[in-house]
Amino acid sequence: MNIKKQRRTSLKDLASELGVSIATVSRALRNSPEIGREMQQRVKDLAKKLNYRPNPFAQSLRKEAPKVIGVVVPNLVTHYYAAVLDGIEDEARRAGYSVISANSHEDFEDERQAIDNFIGLHVEGIIACLAQTTTDYSHFEEISDMGIPLVFFGRTCLTDRFSCVTANGDEAAQMATQHLIDTGSRRIAFIGGPNHLDMVRRRKHGYLEALRENKMDIDRNLVVCDKIDYEVALHAVEKLLEGENRPDAILAFNDIITFAAFTAIKNKGLNIPGEVALIGFTDDVHAAYVTPRMSAIEDQSHEMGVKACQLLLRSIGGDTKVYKEIVPQQLVIRETSAKMRD
């Protein structure tokens, strides 16, 4: 017999039913004087009707007065996000906080559920990097309405409300593109992620600025911005390399796309960097160990995690100022970017 498991009623369910915010429901259940008695009773009656039960784990945590931070990242298996998380944990530990992390798998619904779970666990603050499919920011607006401290890193939104830590991707992309031009490349492609991501826009802008400053034609066929996915990027680069006017250099948006491009060039039997030069945004430890060794724009990802946690701790401590921190990236020239000179 197939028995369907009943989903636990959440604060969000109660709020949706009553047409109020999650913050209002939470405060009503805690008998907050900010909520009128009539609304408190309506919330409690509905909670009883829908068999709402507070998360027992969260309750036990609150009894021990924990200091817990929630972190949601798009892809925990990549070196970049693992290194950022490591920085967050190091700084949190120094301040006496524990860290709970969640992987959104680059999916909006998983991201929203992770945020909802953190709210249910009553974490003291949240650090987040947007999933690539996120274009609706209402779950973060709810965080703002509830007064829960939140800091973004890498991919950001609602920067008028929340502090953020980003890299100087525009400057780094311009520097990398200039290096490719200076070392002999003339048809430089940019392989990026979804255009709605601010990180993609910054890096693409830097690439285009370098072309403009050098009075080079901008061929829109060489600008490919699609899903951040290894197979998607692999096929996109292979298709570019099949054309008559193929690129002679590629600037890749992140580590996943960088190594997809590297493989695609190899699959086509082309020489790196003689026929196709390559620079990628990546601090993946493998960049120095592939053959030829990868030229890369490297994030100071651990430092980014430390900075994000520091900003969150300020917010938890009552600082209401919105900060915008920039952690500079470093262009590391190895063997994949400079063409052979006669």
Side-chain angles (χ1 to χ4, degrees):
M1 184 173 64
N2 184 21
I3 300 176
K4 186 177 180 180
K5 185 177 179 180
Q6 186 175 5
R7 186 174 69 86
R8 180 191 294 270
T9 299
S10 68
L11 288 175
K12 192 171 185 178
D13 295 328
L14 299 178
S16 178
E17 182 78 15
L18 291 166
V20 297
S21 69
I22 294 176
T24 296
V25 172
S26 178
R27 290 167 183 151
L29 291 172
R30 289 186 281 110
N31 299 317
S32 170
E34 298 175 23
I35 307 300
R37 289 189 178 182
E38 182 182 348
M39 177 55 72
Q40 286 187 28
Q41 195 58 51
R42 285 181 62 197
V43 170
K44 290 174 183 177
D45 288 346
L46 183 63
K48 183 176 181 180
K49 177 183 175 182
L50 298 182
N51 196 29
Y52 168 76
R53 295 179 182 179
N55 188 306
F57 176 57
Q59 283 189 317
S60 66
L61 286 178
R62 288 197 299 277
K63 286 179 182 178
E64 299 301 322
K67 299 168 72 175
V68 180
I69 291 169
V71 181
V72 57
V73 300
N75 190 342
L76 263 175
V77 301
T78 66
H79 183 266
Y80 169 74
Y81 292 115
V84 171
L85 183 59
D86 192 56
I88 292 170
E89 289 177 339
D90 283 351
E91 188 64 22
R93 190 181 304 113
R94 282 191 284 269
Y97 284 77
S98 298
V99 174
I100 301 174
S101 61
N103 191 346
S104 73
H105 306 283
E106 294 282 14
D107 182 77
F108 167 70
E109 290 298 339
D110 284 354
E111 175 185 276
R112 186 164 62 177
Q113 185 60 57
I115 295 298
D116 199 42
N117 290 342
F118 287 154
I119 293 172
L121 289 172
H122 293 262
V123 298
E124 296 202 19
I126 296 171
I127 298 173
C129 180
L130 294 180
Q132 65 173 305
T133 60
T134 297
T135 56
D136 173 4
Y137 309 130
S138 58
H139 52 311
F140 294 119
E141 289 171 338
E142 287 179 354
I143 292 289
S144 178
D145 293 341
M146 295 177 72
I148 297 174
L150 170 66
V151 170
F152 286 105
F153 74 90
R155 309 174 195 168
T156 70
C157 68
L158 304 174
T159 53
D160 58 327
R161 295 195 191 189
F162 299 110
S163 295
C164 63
V165 181
T166 58
N168 59 335
D170 51 348
E171 296 175 9
Q174 186 167 351
M175 189 186 309
T177 306
Q178 186 64 53
H179 165 72
L180 290 169
I181 294 169
D182 291 343
T183 53
S185 295
R186 291 298 175 264
R187 284 184 54 76
I188 305 168
F190 176 79
I191 313 298
N195 279 308
H196 68 266
L197 293 176
D198 60 333
M199 181 187 284
V200 174
R201 293 196 301 270
R202 287 194 298 270
R203 295 179 181 185
K204 183 169 67 174
H205 174 75
Y207 154 80
L208 293 172
E209 279 299 293
L211 298 184
R212 293 188 187 103
E213 285 198 1
N214 287 272
K215 299 183 175 10
M216 297 176 68
D217 292 337
I218 296 173
D219 184 345
R220 295 296 174 180
N221 293 320
L222 295 181
V223 181
V224 181
C225 292
D226 203 337
K227 184 179 180 182
I228 301 171
D229 177 86
Y230 182 86
E231 292 298 328
V232 170
L234 178 69
H235 294 149
V237 175
E238 287 181 339
K239 185 176 180 181
L240 274 180
L241 297 176
E242 290 168 359
E244 290 184 7
N245 294 317
R246 74 181 183 215
D248 63 357
I250 293 171
L251 176 63
F253 168 71
N254 71 351
D255 50 357
I256 292 172
I257 293 175
T258 296
F259 286 99
F262 184 88
T263 302
I265 298 168
K266 291 281 192 178
N267 287 349
K268 292 298 180 182
L270 298 170
N271 175 267
I272 304 174
E275 293 176 283
V276 185
L278 176 64
I279 295 181
F281 278 84
T282 173
D283 64 353
D284 194 300
V285 292
H286 298 106
Y289 300 111
V290 295
T291 304
R293 294 182 308 139
M294 184 79 68
S295 292
I297 303 162
E298 297 188 348
D299 282 293
Q300 298 186 66
S301 44
H302 184 276
E303 179 66 15
M304 186 166 284
V306 169
K307 291 284 188 186
C309 191
Q310 288 174 344
L311 291 184
L312 185 69
L313 293 173
R314 285 187 191 179
S315 184
I316 290 172
D319 189 343
T320 58
K321 183 178 177 180
V322 175
Y323 294 90
K324 293 178 175 61
E325 295 273 359
I326 297 177
V327 179
Q329 294 171 307
Q330 301 168 328
L331 177 60
V332 180
I333 304 302
R334 297 189 180 99
E335 298 169 350
T336 64
S337 57
K339 293 190 175 299
M340 296 295 200
R341 298 295 185 100
D342 294 332

